[in-house]
Short mmCIF file of all heavy atoms in Angstrom, two decimals:
data_model
loop_
_atom_site.label_atom_id
_atom_site.label_comp_id
_atom_site.label_asym_id
_atom_site.label_seq_id
_atom_site.Cartn_x
_atom_site.Cartn_y
_atom_site.Cartn_z
N VAL S 220 -0.71 11.52 -17.69
CA VAL S 220 -0.45 11.39 -19.12
C VAL S 220 -1.57 10.61 -19.81
O VAL S 220 -2.05 10.99 -20.89
CB VAL S 220 0.92 10.71 -19.35
CG1 VAL S 220 1.08 10.30 -20.82
CG2 VAL S 220 2.06 11.64 -18.94
N VAL S 221 -2.00 9.49 -19.19
CA VAL S 221 -3.09 8.70 -19.78
C VAL S 221 -4.38 9.50 -19.80
O VAL S 221 -5.12 9.49 -20.79
CB VAL S 221 -3.28 7.38 -19.00
CG1 VAL S 221 -4.49 6.61 -19.53
CG2 VAL S 221 -2.02 6.52 -19.10
N GLU S 222 -4.66 10.23 -18.72
CA GLU S 222 -5.84 11.09 -18.69
C GLU S 222 -5.79 12.11 -19.83
O GLU S 222 -6.78 12.34 -20.52
CB GLU S 222 -5.92 11.82 -17.35
CG GLU S 222 -6.57 11.03 -16.24
CD GLU S 222 -8.08 11.07 -16.31
OE1 GLU S 222 -8.62 11.83 -17.15
OE2 GLU S 222 -8.72 10.33 -15.56
N LYS S 223 -4.64 12.71 -20.02
CA LYS S 223 -4.49 13.72 -21.08
C LYS S 223 -4.66 13.09 -22.45
O LYS S 223 -5.31 13.67 -23.34
CB LYS S 223 -3.14 14.42 -20.98
CG LYS S 223 -2.95 15.57 -21.97
CD LYS S 223 -1.63 16.26 -21.78
CE LYS S 223 -1.53 17.49 -22.68
NZ LYS S 223 -1.75 17.18 -24.12
N PHE S 224 -4.09 11.91 -22.64
CA PHE S 224 -4.25 11.19 -23.90
C PHE S 224 -5.73 10.96 -24.21
O PHE S 224 -6.19 11.19 -25.34
CB PHE S 224 -3.49 9.87 -23.79
CG PHE S 224 -3.86 8.85 -24.84
CD1 PHE S 224 -3.47 9.00 -26.16
CD2 PHE S 224 -4.59 7.72 -24.50
CE1 PHE S 224 -3.81 8.06 -27.12
CE2 PHE S 224 -4.93 6.77 -25.45
CZ PHE S 224 -4.54 6.94 -26.77
N ILE S 225 -6.48 10.51 -23.22
CA ILE S 225 -7.91 10.24 -23.43
C ILE S 225 -8.66 11.54 -23.69
O ILE S 225 -9.52 11.61 -24.59
CB ILE S 225 -8.50 9.49 -22.22
CG1 ILE S 225 -7.86 8.09 -22.11
CG2 ILE S 225 -10.01 9.38 -22.32
CD1 ILE S 225 -8.19 7.35 -20.83
N ARG S 226 -8.36 12.58 -22.93
CA ARG S 226 -9.03 13.87 -23.15
C ARG S 226 -8.72 14.43 -24.53
O ARG S 226 -9.60 14.94 -25.22
CB ARG S 226 -8.62 14.88 -22.08
CG ARG S 226 -9.22 14.64 -20.71
CD ARG S 226 -9.13 15.89 -19.85
NE ARG S 226 -7.78 16.40 -19.75
CZ ARG S 226 -6.88 15.98 -18.84
NH1 ARG S 226 -7.23 15.03 -17.98
NH2 ARG S 226 -5.68 16.49 -18.79
N ASP S 227 -7.44 14.35 -24.95
CA ASP S 227 -7.06 14.89 -26.26
C ASP S 227 -7.79 14.17 -27.38
O ASP S 227 -8.21 14.78 -28.37
CB ASP S 227 -5.55 14.80 -26.46
CG ASP S 227 -4.79 15.83 -25.63
OD1 ASP S 227 -5.43 16.73 -25.07
OD2 ASP S 227 -3.55 15.72 -25.55
N GLU S 228 -7.96 12.85 -27.23
CA GLU S 228 -8.73 12.10 -28.23
C GLU S 228 -10.18 12.59 -28.26
O GLU S 228 -10.79 12.70 -29.33
CB GLU S 228 -8.70 10.60 -27.92
CG GLU S 228 -7.43 9.91 -28.34
CD GLU S 228 -7.57 8.39 -28.31
OE1 GLU S 228 -8.34 7.89 -27.46
OE2 GLU S 228 -6.93 7.73 -29.14
N ALA S 229 -10.75 12.86 -27.08
CA ALA S 229 -12.12 13.36 -27.01
C ALA S 229 -12.23 14.74 -27.64
O ALA S 229 -13.17 15.02 -28.40
CB ALA S 229 -12.60 13.39 -25.56
N TYR S 230 -11.25 15.62 -27.34
CA TYR S 230 -11.25 16.95 -27.95
C TYR S 230 -11.23 16.83 -29.48
O TYR S 230 -12.00 17.51 -30.19
CB TYR S 230 -10.02 17.75 -27.51
CG TYR S 230 -9.92 18.06 -26.04
CD1 TYR S 230 -8.68 18.28 -25.44
CD2 TYR S 230 -11.06 18.16 -25.24
CE1 TYR S 230 -8.57 18.57 -24.10
CE2 TYR S 230 -10.96 18.44 -23.89
CZ TYR S 230 -9.71 18.64 -23.32
OH TYR S 230 -9.59 18.93 -21.98
N LEU S 231 -10.34 15.98 -30.00
CA LEU S 231 -10.21 15.83 -31.44
C LEU S 231 -11.50 15.32 -32.07
O LEU S 231 -11.93 15.83 -33.12
CB LEU S 231 -9.06 14.88 -31.76
CG LEU S 231 -8.79 14.62 -33.24
CD1 LEU S 231 -8.45 15.91 -33.96
CD2 LEU S 231 -7.66 13.61 -33.41
N ALA S 232 -12.14 14.35 -31.42
CA ALA S 232 -13.39 13.82 -31.97
C ALA S 232 -14.47 14.90 -32.02
O ALA S 232 -15.20 15.02 -33.01
CB ALA S 232 -13.86 12.64 -31.13
N ALA S 233 -14.58 15.69 -30.94
CA ALA S 233 -15.60 16.74 -30.90
C ALA S 233 -15.32 17.82 -31.95
O ALA S 233 -16.24 18.30 -32.63
CB ALA S 233 -15.65 17.34 -29.50
N ILE S 234 -14.06 18.21 -32.07
CA ILE S 234 -13.70 19.25 -33.05
C ILE S 234 -13.92 18.75 -34.47
O ILE S 234 -14.45 19.45 -35.33
CB ILE S 234 -12.23 19.69 -32.83
CG1 ILE S 234 -12.11 20.43 -31.50
CG2 ILE S 234 -11.74 20.57 -33.97
CD1 ILE S 234 -10.68 20.67 -31.06
N TYR S 235 -13.51 17.48 -34.72
CA TYR S 235 -13.65 16.93 -36.06
C TYR S 235 -15.12 16.81 -36.45
O TYR S 235 -15.49 17.06 -37.60
CB TYR S 235 -12.97 15.57 -36.12
CG TYR S 235 -12.73 15.07 -37.52
CD1 TYR S 235 -11.60 15.47 -38.22
CD2 TYR S 235 -13.62 14.21 -38.14
CE1 TYR S 235 -11.36 15.02 -39.52
CE2 TYR S 235 -13.41 13.75 -39.43
CZ TYR S 235 -12.27 14.17 -40.12
OH TYR S 235 -12.06 13.73 -41.39
#
Side-chain angles (χ1 to χ4, degrees):
V220 168
V221 175
E222 276 279 353
K223 185 177 186 304
F224 164 72
I225 294 171
R226 287 198 305 274
D227 286 350
E228 281 194 328
Y230 296 154
L231 180 60
I234 292 169
Y235 196 85

